[in-house]
Amino acid sequence: MSPGGFASGGDVTGVHPAWLPPEAMRPIGARTVSVHGDGLDTVRAEVRQACDRHGGAVVAGGADLVLTLSGVDTGPDGFVVSRDGVVTTVAAEDPAGLLYGLFHVARVGEAAFGAPHPPGTHRPAHGRRMLDHWDNVDVHPVMGQVERGYSGGSLFWDGGALRADLTRVTAYARLLAACGVNAVTVNNVNVHATETLLLTDRLADIATIADLLRPYHIRMHLAVNFAAPVADLGTADPLDARVQAWWATATDGVYAAIPDFGGYVVKADSEGQPGPYGYGRDHADGANALAAALAPHGGVVHWRAFVYDHRQDWRDRTTDRARAAYEHFAPLDGRFLGNVIVQVKHGPIDFQVREPVSPLIAAMPATDVAVEVQVTQEYTGQQRHVCYLAPMWSEVLRTIRTAGPVGVSNAGDDPFWTGHPLAQANLYAFGRLAWAPDLDPREVLDEWIGLTFPGTPDVVGETLHAVMDDSWRTYEDYTAPLGVGFMVRPGHHYGPDVDGYEYTPWGTYHFADRDGVGVDRTCATGTGFTGQYPPVLARLYESVHDCPDELLLFFHHVPYGHVLHDGGTVIQHIYDTHFAGADAVAAMRDRWAALPADLVGPAFAARVADLLDEQVRGAAEWRDQITAYFFRKSGVRDAHGRRIP
Ligand code: GCU
């Protein structure tokens, strides 16, 4: 096929491939299609465009593909697909379900029109599948338009104003619906002065965005500042009746403008944001004040558990940031109103390439908990390095009970949507795993490839799998070893700086000295963090012998000669993985260079090639700094005699 076939990620000129370009709708558009039911404007428009482009027709009856709202028992967003004789039927009980069913047919492609099969029901694992944009309305002097954004500007905001041209928001909504996302927060959890006004004076802005998201069944949520009432009342004390009334009035105003508004997201008492502790109240008091205002309208509060002391004394080895979320929130289990969702980062620290699952998730059985993952790759290569994160998320999401995943968005106004073109697959995979956590990450990647490059020869898929399948583990190999984390440059967090955070107040230390490395978080001799886990995991992590190797330095401080389960020593493992990781990146670059550029489009091919050059450079830098650092600390030579600078 010609690159022109997927030169648009949603009918937006100049935008490069994303899943579900018009080409991916060919199997639908090449057929006769009938659509039955009310409230199906988006489904009808998609079908009409596909038929106009690919030669099919919308008919009243006798169609190859029947899309129908009927009394099927799927629950919200679900759909049933069957094939009887030569007719494929998609049935759903609500318009959102039928839209998801239509996109499912696009994903399955020709196979949806193959052999007859009995009805198969598809239901999302989670009712809410949410993305949080850390987009600033004003350009922040340090963080820019998007905090930790690596994809250009915001899709919504531009230098303090709502974007004049919001065409891409519609295209974006289509992409999100096509992978199952149905809730979006459009501003940063760090709510600065201008963003505080979104709730009140600038409500029209968010109503405009909500209108663009609604056709694709995506509900708008808003990050709010806990101290918002202070401007009017001089207090934000959540137990003050005037404050509660303030939230009720503000919330009524939001629902008057956006009747299907989803709710609030709050970062409180965290990294300088105001919160209930300022009034001697706890996080249940704070969350419940906002939840009470939302409850009459059916809205929810996502209350983040990312609360810790960011002014820690590095000399104090008893304070452990990993313990913080559990200590602040576990005692509150059972005190939150029913429409509060406590939003917990998947690991106890902060989106590192390897962390254990946060113990808080299992510690609040009487509370709805949402698990937050970072689609924007702040600590995993910043969308300059290929790092396909679905295998990591799948490990977390398939094993835990949660009220629904939340992903920190990685999309922006970059022509490729995500800076690194291959980072599109992370956004796609987030939506798919939020819908179905048991999906195999490789199959999810297959889906993304099939939708993004429909009809291309096998070599495209083979190359993308070769470059992406193991890229998360490769990234882990050449960066911070064995779960220790945070050896990044302070501030922007790109590239290596082993001691960058070691003597800072942030609570992210590795404690390397001439004898050993790692954080002792055991109950026996360390910070006691292992005791926050249920007994089976607590025992596993407490034992230096049983602890999984990849988390060894997260839980234990060990000598460099400590022997891992594979028989090698910690220091040799550090050398071996760092050399292997950097070599693997060089092989990824070679593999990409062998792919004919016209198969994926020259601009796409060139952007990936440029970024792989940067990844090769970056991986070598990591390898050299990490190996040199640990050689200098330990004095132990590499068993293979490789050059360590
Ligand atoms: C990280 C990140 C911040 C962000 C914070 C959060 O610390 O570096 O930019 O604000 O997470 O999740 O709130």
Side-chain angles (χ1 to χ4, degrees), residues 489 496-498 620-630 645:
R489 295 209 180 108
D497 186 345
V498 183
E621 181 73 24
W622 270 101
R623 175 199 63 206
D624 291 345
Q625 286 207 27
I626 296 281
T627 55
Y629 179 94
F630 284 103

Side-chain angles (χ1 to χ4, degrees), residues 110-130:
E110 287 298 330
F113 302 96
H117 57 80
T121 303
H122 301 255
R123 290 188 178 94
H126 303 291
R128 190 176 302 99
R129 305 169 297 276
M130 178 159 159

Side-chain angles (χ1 to χ4, degrees), residues 6 18-21 24 422 425 428 441-466 468-469 600:
F6 47 75
W19 60 99
L20 209 68
L422 304 186
Y428 178 81
R442 281 174 198 254
E443 284 169 20
V444 173
L445 186 55
D446 267 336
E447 290 178 9
W448 177 75
I449 294 166
L451 287 169
T452 307
F453 303 111
T456 48
D458 290 350
V459 66
V460 172
E462 288 160 6
T463 304
L464 286 164
H465 274 287
M468 297 173 74
D469 277 346
V600 292

Side-chain angles (χ1 to χ4, degrees), residues 132-154:
D132 284 3
H133 280 257
W134 286 357
D135 295 17
N136 296 313
V137 175
D138 278 324
V139 177
H140 186 273
V142 178
M143 294 296 175
Q145 188 79 66
V146 180
E147 179 162 324
R148 313 302 182 187
Y150 313 105
S151 313
S154 167

Side-chain angles (χ1 to χ4, degrees), residues 317-318 323 519-529 542 555:
R317 294 189 59 156
T318 59
R323 294 178 58 111
V519 189
D520 184 353
R521 293 194 160 106
T522 63
C523 290
T525 53
T527 70
F529 170 66
E542 177 80 8
F555 286 107

Side-chain angles (χ1 to χ4, degrees), residues 314 317 478-481 484-488 496-503 508-519 553 557-558 560 570-572 574-575 578-579 620-638 642-645:
W314 59 267
R317 294 189 59 156
Y478 65 80
T479 55
V484 73
F486 259 100
M487 292 179 171
V488 289
D497 186 345
V498 183
D499 281 340
Y501 275 103
E502 197 58 14
Y503 307 102
T508 49
Y509 315 121
H510 54 69
F511 299 124
D513 58 23
R514 65 178 188 172
D515 299 319
V517 57
V519 189
L553 302 183
H557 185 91
V558 296
Y560 293 111
V570 164
I571 188 71
Q572 193 57 41
I574 292 174
Y575 296 148
H578 284 76
F579 282 102
E621 181 73 24
W622 270 101
R623 175 199 63 206
D624 291 345
Q625 286 207 27
I626 296 281
T627 55
Y629 179 94
F630 284 103
F631 173 60
R632 290 175 193 182
K633 281 269 178 209
S634 70
V636 179
R637 294 190 183 283
D638 171 32
R642 288 164 293 200
R643 185 181 164 274
I644 293 177

Side-chain angles (χ1 to χ4, degrees), residues 343-483:
Q343 185 169 319
V344 185
K345 289 195 183 190
H346 67 85
I349 300 281
D350 195 359
F351 299 137
Q352 301 303 289
V353 68
R354 178 72 71 174
E355 290 186 48
V357 171
S358 168
L360 180 59
I361 294 164
M364 303 193 80
T367 307
D368 277 342
V369 171
V371 175
E372 182 180 302
V373 300
Q374 198 180 40
V375 189
T376 193
Q377 295 169 237
E378 176 181 1
Y379 295 103
T380 50
Q382 302 202 347
Q383 286 153 233
R384 284 183 255 181
H385 294 208
V386 181
C387 188
Y388 178 51
L389 290 164
M392 179 215 260
W393 300 334
S394 147
E395 281 183 10
V396 179
L397 298 177
R398 70 168 60 193
T399 52
I400 54 178
R401 175 197 71 91
T402 144
V406 176
V408 180
S409 161
N410 66 344
D413 75 346
D414 169 68
F416 296 92
W417 294 97
T418 51
H420 202 306
L422 304 186
Q424 289 176 10
N426 282 334
L427 183 54
Y428 178 81
F430 169 76
R432 294 291 290 140
L433 293 177
W435 178 288
D438 286 333
L439 285 173
D440 177 345
R442 281 174 198 254
E443 284 169 20
V444 173
L445 186 55
D446 267 336
E447 290 178 9
W448 177 75
I449 294 166
L451 287 169
T452 307
F453 303 111
T456 48
D458 290 350
V459 66
V460 172
E462 288 160 6
T463 304
L464 286 164
H465 274 287
V467 170
M468 297 173 74
D469 277 346
D470 295 327
S471 54
W472 165 49
R473 290 202 167 74
T474 297
Y475 188 83
E476 179 180 25
D477 277 349
Y478 65 80
T479 55
L482 297 166

